[in-house]
Structures are given as structure tokens and as C-alpha cells.
Amino acid sequence: MSNTFQSLPVGEEIFLLKMGEMVLKGLNRRTFEERLMGNARRRLEPYGKFRIYSRQSITYVEPKEAGCDLDGAFETLRHLFGVVGLSRAKACEKTPEAILETAKTYLRDDLMAARTFKVESKRSDKSFPMTSIQLSQFVGGELNEAFPHIQADMHTPEVVVHVEVRDFAAYVHANPTPGAGGLPVGVGGTAVSLLSGGIDSPVASWMMAKRGLALEMVHFFSYPYTSPEAKEKVLELARLLTPWCGRLTVHVVPFTEIQEELRRSCPESLFTLLMRRFMMRIAQRVAQRVGAHGLVTGESLGQVASQTMEAMAVTGQVVSLPIFRPVVGMDKEEIVRIARKIGTFETSILPYEDCCTVFTPRHPKTRPSLEEIQEAEAALDIDGLIETAMQGIERVVLHP
């Protein structure tokens, strides 16, 4: 790759991706940047060929050919974890005159529609002959002459003209678009997320992906007690997460035999707790199979009977992997707010029951002891039931 401005495609825009906490990672920072760029390359494949590279806390995304779908690419990058802000920018030569002319033409529509503006300049290339303040004053004064209907406003401008003088070129853009934030998916390893058809588990999955976890999804399906529509609802929830998480594999576990055996052999009040212990065991088996090192659940303390502190201790006791419960301290309104933001809420509230709601006991135990749970499980062939379920798993791969 040439380090000159002439390497930029003539007449095309470029995307500038601003990194957040990644810049604080010290000696590991390059690992995070490489992961971010790799994730971006995979996500952008349907939209054309792009050159992606990082310099000075910025990731640059250049179209390599005419005809790239820049609108689709930009929308995809808005969902890329690790990016706190992104801009569609125009590159130009590093001269005050070129910068001014680019601002006039590239941001003409924004400036014509605004009543107030200001210019903010950053000069990473210290060989540039003007300071940042001098450059802002020059561009701002000339824009005020060219667009006399707008006034400078340093406090609450309608449009901010951003000028960045960097290694290879100068870049002009308007207000950045907020990014997804967080850390690039995959830098934190891989975990298995228990995905139901409710509101909480998709939000929990999204929150852990935002912290850099790559996810494998597990869903427990109890046909004929739960319908094919209920299964499709969960797969749709997983599809809605793929713009944020990337490709997802959903491991659909047949759970009917386990639930019927629990109903035959165990006290009704313990159904939910015993079911969840089986789910955790199976999720850990799936994690071992795919090389994951943690489990993710949508449990929120006190929300339902199986989510008391005692109940969570009992259900977590059967696994050795760490369990991440990112929504554990959130109330329902907070969880719903995130579900709406990420686009899963409307699907989550579709009226198809999952396996947990179908077999909910009339009077569930909320303060279980480990001894009574283990006593109930003594009547079960736990290993045999788990092995049968594992052999019947269906894997559905979903792409963004």
C-alpha cells in the first residue's frame, strides 16, 4: 500500500472509524486493532472491495473499486463493536486551499441547510504549516464568506465541519455518527449463550458480544409442546443479533424427553430448577465441543422464581465454566430499552411459548436447597438423558 494521497480512489468517499477504549490496551492494542479490521473485512464483503488499515487510533476504510455500496457498508459499520464513532469523509491534499475547497463542495448541502456552524480541526501531521486553531479560523472565515446565511456558533452549532490532517491526506467530514462501542467481537474468547424466545437472553447476548465475546447460541426446543413457530422465532432473534455479533451458530437441543422424565419422576415445585440444571449441563457440553470457555444467561435477580440468589446458586452448581449474567442487576424497563435499541423487542414479544413457560410449575420453589435438588435428581439417568439430547442437536448457521 502506498503511503501517498494519490493511492486514494479519485472521487470516492472514505470511512473513518474512531476507536474507544481499545487505544488504552498498551502492548495488546495491535491485537485488538487486527481483530477489528478482520471483523470489518468480513462484514463488508457483500458491499464490494475495501482497503482497511489503522493509523493513529483511526481505522480507515477505503473503497477499492467503483460501484461499492457505500450506504450499505456504512450501515454495517455502525453495528461493528470496537468503533465509538464513524464518519463518511472526503480525502484531499494537505493544503489549506484543498481543505477549504473540499469543505465547500463536500459539505455544501449540510451548510446550505444550517443556520449556525463551527469548524474543528485536528493536526496529527505536525509538519502541516498551520496550527489546529489557525486552520479552523481560516476555513471558518472562508466558509462564512461563501455561505453568508450561516453564522459561527462555538457552543451549539447545527453543523460542525471537522478537518483532520493525518499521515496520508487531509479529511473533511460533518458530525460523526455514534458507533456501537465496546470491544471487537472475538478478543475476549468464545462463550455459549442460552437463547430463549424472551426479551432478556438476546439482550444479554448482545451485551457480552459488546465486551468482545464471540458467541455460540444454544436453544432448548420441546416439540410438540412448543411449536415450529416458537423455534423460528428464536432463530429470527439470532438473525437480528448477527449484524452486531457476526455469524452465529444456533445449537437447537431436543429437550422434550428430559422434561417428560422430570414430570414423571420429580416434584412439580422443582421442575424449573431441575430443567435449568439440565440446560446448564448441556450448554457446558456444547461449550466443550466448540472450544468455548464461558456461559451466558439472561437471568435478572428476582425477576422470576428461578432467578433468586439461592436458585441461581443451585443451577450454576452443575457447571465449572464461568457464568456471565450481564442483565442480573437490571430492571425490566432497562432491558426492554436495550431490546428496542438492538431491534429484538418486537420479535421477543411474539406470542409463541418456549419450553420453560410450557412446563412452569404452579407453585415453584424459590429458596431451594442443594440437598433436595440432588435428592430429586437421584431418580434420573442424568448422563443418559444428556447424551441423547446431545446426539439430537440440530445446528443452524446464520450470517449477517
Side-chain angles (χ1 to χ4, degrees), residues 22 31 36 80 117 205 223 252 284 377 396:
M22 289 168 53
T31 301
L36 176 68
L80 187 67
F117 83 110
S205 300
Y223 184 80
V252 182
Q284 179 162 273
E377 286 180 339
V396 181

Side-chain angles (χ1 to χ4, degrees), residues 193-205 217-221 230-238 241 250 276 279 296-299 303 307 332 344 347-349 352-357:
S193 185
L194 283 71
L195 185 66
S196 73
I199 298 171
D200 303 341
S201 58
V203 170
S205 300
M217 317 302 271
V218 170
H219 175 64
F220 297 90
F221 183 54
K231 173 183 169 184
E232 186 54 41
K233 169 185 169 180
V234 171
L235 294 178
E236 177 60 20
L237 286 172
L241 290 172
V250 183
R276 288 200 63 80
M279 289 177 178
V296 178
T297 77
E299 292 165 296
Q303 189 174 123
Q307 294 176 16
K332 202 67 176 182
T344 57
T347 300
S348 290
I349 62 174
Y352 302 117
E353 295 182 309
D354 61 26
C355 65
C356 290
T357 55

Side-chain angles (χ1 to χ4, degrees), residues 15-16 58 78 84 102 124-125 177 181 192 240 265 283 340 345 356 367 371:
F15 301 146
L16 306 180
I58 296 287
R78 283 202 319 110
V84 297
T102 302
S124 300
D125 180 359
T177 297
V192 167
L240 293 170
S265 306
R340 291 186 186 278
F345 178 75
C356 290
R367 300 273 190 277
E371 291 72 20

Side-chain angles (χ1 to χ4, degrees), residues 60-296:
Y60 298 82
V61 180
E62 298 175 7
K64 293 174 65 175
E65 57 187 7
C68 288
D69 179 1
L70 297 184
D71 291 339
F74 191 78
E75 181 63 22
T76 292
L77 293 172
R78 283 202 319 110
H79 296 83
L80 187 67
F81 287 130
V83 176
V84 297
L86 60 163
S87 303
R88 294 176 74 144
K90 199 75 164 183
C92 65
E93 295 177 0
K94 292 190 285 185
T95 68
E97 295 76 18
I99 292 168
L100 173 61
E101 188 59 32
T102 302
K104 286 181 181 179
T105 56
Y106 184 58
L107 301 180
R108 178 178 178 79
D109 291 345
D110 298 88
L111 292 168
M112 289 296 294
R115 291 171 298 178
T116 58
F117 83 110
K118 75 172 181 178
V119 179
E120 287 188 359
S121 301
K122 293 182 180 179
R123 186 187 58 140
S124 300
D125 180 359
K126 300 306 181 185
S127 67
F128 188 76
M130 289 181 172
T131 66
S132 297
I133 293 175
Q134 290 171 336
L135 181 58
S136 293
Q137 290 172 338
F138 167 73
V139 174
E142 294 295 324
L143 288 178
N144 214 171
E145 291 288 331
F147 300 91
H149 69 285
I150 57 175
Q151 298 298 315
D153 183 344
M154 298 298 106
H155 303 292
T156 56
E158 292 180 25
V159 172
V160 179
V161 176
H162 292 267
V163 177
E164 303 188 33
V165 183
R166 294 188 168 273
D167 285 357
F168 308 140
Y171 304 92
V172 175
H173 60 89
N175 300 339
T177 297
L183 298 173
V185 169
V187 294
T190 302
V192 167
S193 185
L194 283 71
L195 185 66
S196 73
I199 298 171
D200 303 341
S201 58
V203 170
S205 300
W206 179 86
M207 291 178 71
M208 294 313 301
K210 187 175 182 179
R211 297 312 303 159
L213 282 185
L215 297 176
E216 298 269 339
M217 317 302 271
V218 170
H219 175 64
F220 297 90
F221 183 54
S222 296
Y223 184 80
Y225 301 105
T226 51
S227 66
E229 289 81 7
K231 173 183 169 184
E232 186 54 41
K233 169 185 169 180
V234 171
L235 294 178
E236 177 60 20
L237 286 172
R239 286 189 193 97
L240 293 170
L241 290 172
T242 59
W244 308 94
C245 302
R247 187 187 73 173
L248 290 175
T249 299
V250 183
H251 303 256
V252 182
V253 180
F255 207 55
T256 306
E257 183 177 343
I258 290 173
Q259 290 183 303
E260 289 180 338
E261 183 60 29
L262 291 176
R263 187 161 59 181
R264 280 193 297 268
S265 306
C266 301
E268 182 190 5
S269 63
L270 301 180
F271 279 179
T272 301
L273 295 167
L274 295 170
M275 278 192 295
R276 288 200 63 80
R277 281 166 66 90
F278 270 100
M279 289 177 178
M280 299 301 280
R281 292 181 176 109
I282 292 169
Q284 179 162 273
R285 285 282 301 274
V286 172
Q288 292 165 347
R289 177 182 284 179
V290 301
H293 296 94
L295 306 177
V296 178

